[in-house]
Amino acid sequence: MSRDTASRPARERLLDAAGELFYESGIAATGVDAVLARARVSPATLYAHFSGKDGLVAADLERRFRQWQEIWDEVLDERTDPVDRLLSVFDAVVRYRAVEGSRRGCAFLAAATELPPGHPGQQWLAADSRLLTERLHDLAEAAGVGDPTGIADGLLALYDGALARLARQAATPGLDTGDPLHRARRMAADWLAGRVGPARPSG
Amino acid sequence: MSRDTASRPARERLLDAAGELFYESGIAATGVDAVLARARVSPATLYAHFSGKDGLVAADLERRFRQWQEIWDEVLDERTDPVDRLLSVFDAVVRYRAVEGSRRGCAFLAAATELPPGHPGQQWLAADSRLLTERLHDLAEAAGVGDPTGIADGLLALYDGALARLARQAATPGLDTGDPLHRARRMAADWLAGRVGPARPSG
DNA sequence: GCTCTAGCATAACGATCGTTATGTTGAAAC
DNA sequence: GTTTCAACATAACGATCGTTATGCTAGAGC
């Protein structure tokens, strides 16, 4: 059995296990032992591939960021209408959650509340925030709206709200009042209808 | 010196210390020792007043919930216009944060991402969610809108978004693009303008 | 065949976790 | 003044934290 390098590389098994456990149980609450057990990997292997738990957390956030950006790119390539491209952020997060199997809130939001100020994972939280604001701004500009920054901020607010409510719904099941993501998308569409291009039907 | 029962009671000192540390550094990341040191209290005293760390966390969330409800009541009593009363949730959270000295996101949102499913503090997260949805629904109904549930959900989305962005801004300083709370309030006002009562100026 | 080396599991490290047992102190009861 | 009792600090508990030292094992070079 031993030396199963033939299976998935140890580094990927570690990232998979860490991703699931950090997301499911929280970063601080997940011990290194739990990650090692799920990945079927020894401590020495972990510290050969990563600088430690902090490095593993940062690598997990990096992978999440890259996959999120990739999926958003993918969805964006399927849209041509400027308003649809603005709203693509909601479709992308729906697809990301489907691919990732997410049953809770946003991993970046959770990490933002958990990681201490100097943590190496913080750079990927900043990267995510920057991607959201800059891309939404560019898409708003391309849509020819009068106030691209205002539009981008508004969409970001609805995006943040949907993911935050998902996190809170996961904590208190039974109070669900529908899907926050679809509701946010609908609100964003209505809100944009009065601000960009010709009047759109706000049904 | 010793036996300083003459000063603030040990229970309150514990709640103050726990509130600050849990909010500042996270619940899981804050050790009981840190709370004890800040409160200048011995372990035996903590376990005489609370069932343990979990009980202390629950008591902190209970106190936060009661104060938040009290402040919202207070703000609500100052408003008579139905739309102002709907928007009072944003004014209340601004006042709550001023009173509490909050420099990060929402403590309930953070707790929702940190606490495990069966934690005794979960009931106060549920209470907060219920207060928000039910009260917003009632206020929307009182405002005579056509779809009170839809209005309440929309305002909740903007509320959630503002507090989530506050949390993420605290994690990555330097990317601030203004105050999410005031922006959310302005968006909500604009959004409500087209849906309730006579047309309001959307400045 | 033997040696060398990289990569791995076993075991254990000190530190800190949340919690509890053991004394000690100060004020009220009589 | 003595007793009594609740509240307190000191010290230590076992468990687990993140991390590292030690030994085994499989393949490359000769």
Side-chain angles (χ1 to χ4, degrees), chain B residues 1 93 100 105-106 118 127 136 139 156-157 175 185 187 189:
Chain B
M1 238 298 245
V93 73
E100 199 71 15
C106 170
L136 285 176
L139 290 173
L156 181 62
L175 288 183
R185 204 207 121 102
M187 277 190 68

Side-chain angles (χ1 to χ4, degrees), chain A residues 106-126:
Chain A
C106 171
F108 294 110
L109 177 58
T113 71
E114 284 213 67
L115 299 190
H119 195 283
Q122 291 281 9
Q123 58 180 312
W124 302 108
L125 305 187

